[in-house]
């Protein structure tokens, strides 16, 4: 089955031209197949994990649409792609479970293809397992060569067998490939890839590779194009945005980049994540204090409140340094909303250590916090640490932490009740079609009466009632 590929030009050697060549080639295969089955081929990209993956999925979607696939629900799609996460073990378990469910569907539908990519694929044991027990998967690739998606699809069509392409690391950043945004009015923008921090529990540096920053000009150009295309809010993405630019030939600070982005006319809101406390500079705090566009929200993962545990986690700050940082930020940016990530049950965590975490939660009074049970990741230093904490102790701490975090978040959220705030309307409310849902600067949601034509616009909304983690409101006019 080899349709007449009549691309006259030679395969370009440089990117992204090479990928545009493969996009055209893949399109011919897809068109041919669609003709064979007398309907368009469909795809579904399912994303696991973080915003970084969500952004990568937009790139996958962009390429798939370019080559002629149409988007569909997962249970109908001819091409199902899982963009995986591996930060905690249960993320892997979920993917294996979902794959098991796809197998019978694939044996019924000869046109069906299954693709797996993302962080989990960077683990050699995973790929071994797929090769051995999941032979029905068609395409396996990792985090470093996602830009080659079209080329890999062509390899799959031409070879007819399982295609696996995993790179250990890369220093390459390929610009200007297609992508299909989920929202027309807001977008994630990668500013850097990888992570050099090696927090002792975390697998990300092993699966996302070494830190590399995009050139500031490329970032600015991308945002300018997004704004021309109707985007007013960007989320700058990186594992540790505070160390942005350090590895560039001409180093640039994250604060300096923000100042440049602030100048882009038509851009209304700037968000970023994730910040590492050890690299959050006074310069950045100052820029946040004086900016008119940077949202008053900072996600500042603390991970633990115990200085001993933080040391074992290789986080490079103490409890006191973290609290001092919070004080400085609050002084410079009054009313800023703070959110965090916390891990309970890190090896060697005692009840006293856990009490230190609760103490930080009570002192900082986070607007919300993502709480995680420590998950042992093979290959990380923490996996071989002694004194792994027994499951029932961890569960008990987790429940106590969650209770504390939620009751504080409710109180913090209710402070804004009665105020009028600007919201970017994102969608019709999931629960009530007479309401629309808007996002506030502090990242919380407000549901208020409105029609779908408000989507993508800003509204001043009175927050009439706090519901704990979101508000009910009414538009002011
Ligand atoms: N176990 C539990 N949580 C983890 N995280 C990262 N690695 C692990 C792990 N091994 C959490 C951290 C990080 C968030 C994205 O995931 O809190 O900030
Ligand atoms: Fe993982 Fe730490 Fe890097 Fe975040 S900063 S991705 S927690 S190693």
């Amino acid at each position: 089955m080899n349709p007449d590929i009549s691309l006259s030009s030679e395969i370009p050697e440089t990117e992204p031209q090479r990928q545009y060549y493969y996009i055209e080639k893949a399109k011919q295969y897809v068109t041919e197949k669609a003709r064979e089955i007398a309907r368009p081929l469909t795809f579904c990209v399912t994303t696991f994990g973080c915003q970084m993956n969500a952004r990568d999925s937009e790139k996958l979607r962009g390429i798939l649409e370019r080559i002629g696939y149409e988007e569909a629900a997962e249970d109908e799609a001819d091409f199902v792609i899982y963009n995986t996460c591996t930060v905690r073990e249960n993320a892997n378990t979920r993917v294996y479970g979902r794959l098991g469910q796809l197998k019978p569907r694939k044996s019924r539908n000869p046109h069906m293809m299954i693709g797996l990519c993302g962080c989990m694929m960077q683990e050699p044991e995973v790929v071994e397992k797929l090769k051995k027990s999941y032979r029905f998967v068609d395409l396996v690739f990792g985090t470093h060569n996602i830009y080659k998606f079209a080329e890999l699809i062509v390899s799959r069509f031409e070879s007819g067998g399982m295609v696996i392409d995993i790179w250990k690391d890369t220093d390459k950043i390929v610009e200007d490939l297609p992508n299909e945004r989920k929202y027309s009015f807001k977008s994630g923008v990668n500013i850097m890839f990888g992570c050099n921090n090696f927090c002792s529990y975390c697998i990300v540096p092993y699966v996302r590779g070494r830190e590399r920053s995009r050139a500031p000009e490329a970032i600015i150009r991308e945002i300018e194009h997004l704004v021309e295309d109707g985007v007013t809010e960007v989320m700058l993405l990186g594992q540790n945005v505070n160390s942005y630019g350090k590895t560039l030939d001409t180093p640039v600070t994250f604060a300096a980049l923000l100042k440049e982005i602030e100048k882009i006319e038509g851009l209304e809101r700037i968000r970023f994540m994730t910040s590492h406390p050890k690299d959050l500079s006074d310069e950045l705090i100052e820029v946040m204090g004086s900016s008119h566009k940077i949202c008053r929200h900072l996600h500042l993962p603390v991970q633990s409140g115990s200085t001993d545990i933080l040391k074992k986690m290789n986080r490079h700050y103490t409890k006191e340094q973290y609290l001092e940082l919070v004080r400085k930020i609050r002084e410079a940016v009054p009313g800023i909303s703070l959110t965090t990530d916390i891990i309970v049950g890190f090896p060697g965590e005692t009840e006293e250590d856990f009490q230190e975490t609760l103490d930080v939660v009570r002192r900082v009074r986070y607007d919300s916090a993502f709480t995680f049970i420590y998950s042992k990741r093979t290959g990380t230093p923490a996996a071989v640490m002694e004194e792994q904490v027994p499951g029932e102790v961890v569960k008990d701490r987790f429940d106590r932490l969650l209770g504390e975090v939620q009751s504080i978040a409710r109180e913090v959220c209710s402070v804004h009740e009665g105020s009028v705030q600007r919201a970017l309307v994102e969608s019709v409310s999931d629960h009530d079609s007479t309401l629309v849902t808007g996002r506030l600067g502090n990242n919380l949601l407000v549901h208020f009466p409105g029609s779908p034509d408000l989507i993508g616009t800003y509204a001043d909304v009175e927050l009439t009632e706090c519901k704990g983690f979101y508000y009910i409101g009414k538009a002011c006019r």
Side-chain angles (χ1 to χ4, degrees):
M1 200 258 3
N2 195 348
D4 184 21
I5 302 279
S6 53
L7 291 168
S8 53
S9 58
E10 295 203 343
I11 304 174
E13 278 178 18
T14 49
E15 304 292 1
Q17 292 77 10
R18 188 181 161 87
Q19 293 314 312
Y20 281 101
Y21 168 89
Y22 280 110
I23 285 173
E24 280 314 306
K25 198 162 178 181
K27 196 173 179 173
Q28 296 189 6
Y29 282 112
V30 171
T31 312
E32 180 71 15
K33 265 190 179 283
R35 201 175 302 138
E36 232 176 79
I37 60 174
R39 62 166 177 82
L41 287 178
T42 54
F43 78 91
C44 176
V45 179
T46 303
T47 312
F48 297 84
C50 66
Q51 309 235 13
M52 209 67 141
N53 265 15
R55 181 67 181 145
D56 282 347
S57 291
E58 293 185 343
K59 297 176 187 169
L60 298 174
R61 267 188 212 107
I63 291 172
L64 286 164
E65 296 203 344
R66 278 282 188 115
I67 67 179
Y69 275 99
E70 291 184 3
E71 192 154 17
E74 188 181 317
D75 57 357
E76 292 167 2
D78 300 301
F79 191 4
V80 173
I81 298 107
Y82 290 158
N83 187 4
T84 63
C85 168
T86 187
V87 78
R88 284 166 289 275
E89 181 63 32
N90 59 7
N92 292 35
T93 317
R94 274 172 65 204
V95 168
Y96 289 126
R98 299 270 289 254
L99 273 181
Q101 290 167 8
L102 285 185
K103 190 178 179 184
R105 257 188 68 199
K106 170 134 191 197
S107 32
R108 282 197 305 270
N109 177 358
H111 301 288
M112 189 172 173
M113 294 213 295
I114 300 172
L116 296 175
C117 63
C119 294
M120 191 175 150
M121 300 307 123
Q122 293 294 139
E123 291 181 278
E125 315 80 77
V126 169
V127 177
E128 281 316 305
K129 189 165 169 166
L130 292 170
K131 276 197 221 161
K132 224 171 117 210
S133 315
Y134 295 83
R135 293 296 312 173
F136 58 95
V137 172
D138 296 275
L139 197 54
V140 179
F141 55 105
T143 54
H144 303 303
N145 53 350
I146 194 161
Y147 73 88
K148 277 181 68 186
F149 190 35
E151 188 174 342
L152 295 170
I153 292 175
V154 168
S155 304
R156 170 61 188 78
F157 282 140
E158 290 181 350
S159 73
M162 190 179 200
V163 171
I164 300 180
D165 190 17
I166 310 283
W167 300 0
K168 268 202 154 61
D169 202 349
T170 184
D171 52 9
K172 200 164 173 165
I173 297 177
V174 179
E175 300 285 350
D176 300 323
L177 281 168
N179 72 79
E180 187 57 42
R181 295 196 311 275
K182 185 168 173 202
Y183 298 98
S184 60
F185 49 86
K186 69 169 190 175
S187 180
V189 174
N190 296 111
I191 62 165
M192 60 199 301
F193 302 92
C195 180
N196 284 354
N197 289 312
F198 291 95
C199 299
S200 64
Y201 49 82
C202 185
I203 202 166
V204 169
Y206 305 88
V207 296
R208 286 264 172 193
R210 294 293 59 74
E211 191 174 294
R212 50 216 183 272
S213 296
R214 284 178 73 195
E217 304 77 40
I219 298 170
I220 302 287
R221 196 178 60 211
E222 179 178 347
I223 301 177
E224 283 171 349
H225 285 155
L226 287 168
V227 170
E228 280 165 21
D229 202 27
V231 165
T232 61
E233 177 180 311
V234 289
M235 166 76 90
L236 309 176
L237 298 170
Q239 304 296 346
N240 176 8
V241 291
N242 302 118
S243 72
Y244 168 79
K246 286 186 183 164
T247 54
L248 287 170
D249 292 342
T250 318
V252 182
T253 63
F254 180 52
L257 176 72
L258 282 171
K259 279 194 205 160
E260 287 307 305
I261 297 176
E262 172 106 13
K263 291 182 196 154
I264 298 175
E265 236 169 271
L267 183 67
E268 303 264 346
R269 278 178 168 182
I270 305 169
R271 300 182 187 274
F272 52 83
M273 78 187 314
T274 295
S275 289
H276 193 308
K278 81 174 163 64
D279 295 311
L280 201 141
S281 65
D282 289 346
E283 188 196 6
L284 176 64
I285 297 178
E286 201 189 307
V287 170
M288 289 182 74
S290 58
S291 167
H292 298 291
K293 297 186 178 175
I294 300 174
C295 290
R296 299 193 154 219
H297 167 225
L298 181 67
H299 185 65
L300 195 62
V302 64
Q303 312 296 3
S304 168
S306 153
T307 296
D308 286 348
I309 295 292
L310 287 169
K311 195 162 176 23
K312 288 189 191 164
M313 286 178 162
N314 196 29
R315 292 288 290 177
H316 298 281
Y317 53 86
T318 62
K319 175 187 181 187
E320 289 69 32
Q321 284 167 334
Y322 183 90
L323 291 172
E324 172 57 15
L325 191 56
V326 167
R327 190 196 61 74
K328 278 204 281 189
I329 294 163
R330 287 227 158 106
E331 189 178 78
V333 196
I336 190 167
S337 142
L338 291 176
T339 57
T340 201
D341 291 344
I342 303 170
I343 298 176
V344 285
F346 184 83
E349 185 190 73
T350 62
E351 178 59 26
E352 290 69 41
D353 291 319
F354 176 65
Q355 287 299 329
E356 298 277 13
T357 299
L358 285 180
D359 187 46
V360 169
V361 166
R362 289 179 190 131
R363 286 190 197 209
V364 178
R365 297 180 60 76
Y366 294 105
D367 288 63
S368 76
F370 295 104
T371 51
F372 304 109
I373 285 181
Y374 167 72
S375 169
K376 190 171 169 173
R377 308 309 290 124
T378 310
T380 61
V384 290
M385 285 182 188
E386 282 161 15
E387 310 174 80
Q388 301 278 334
V389 185
E392 61 292 355
V393 176
V394 182
K395 182 74 182 63
D396 172 61
R397 285 183 197 159
F398 181 83
D399 291 344
R400 282 188 280 155
L401 176 65
L402 193 64
E404 194 70 42
V405 159
Q406 289 186 342
S407 75
I408 291 173
R410 249 185 225 108
E411 287 168 23
V412 173
C413 181
S414 68
V415 168
H416 303 290
E417 206 175 69
S419 70
V420 172
Q421 294 196 23
R422 205 157 172 250
L424 171 56
V425 182
E426 293 192 344
S427 58
V428 171
S429 163
D430 287 342
H431 303 293
D432 181 343
S433 61
T434 66
L435 304 180
V436 289
T437 302
R439 191 173 294 273
L440 304 170
N442 67 7
N443 212 30
L444 288 181
L445 297 177
V446 57
H447 307 283
F448 62 98
S451 55
D453 54 295
L454 289 176
I455 292 172
T457 67
Y458 289 84
D460 288 327
V461 185
E462 185 185 343
L463 310 178
T464 48
E465 193 185 350
C466 170
K467 292 280 197 181
F469 309 102
Y470 65 93
Y471 303 93
I472 299 295
K474 65 169 192 276
C476 304
R477 205 152 294 249

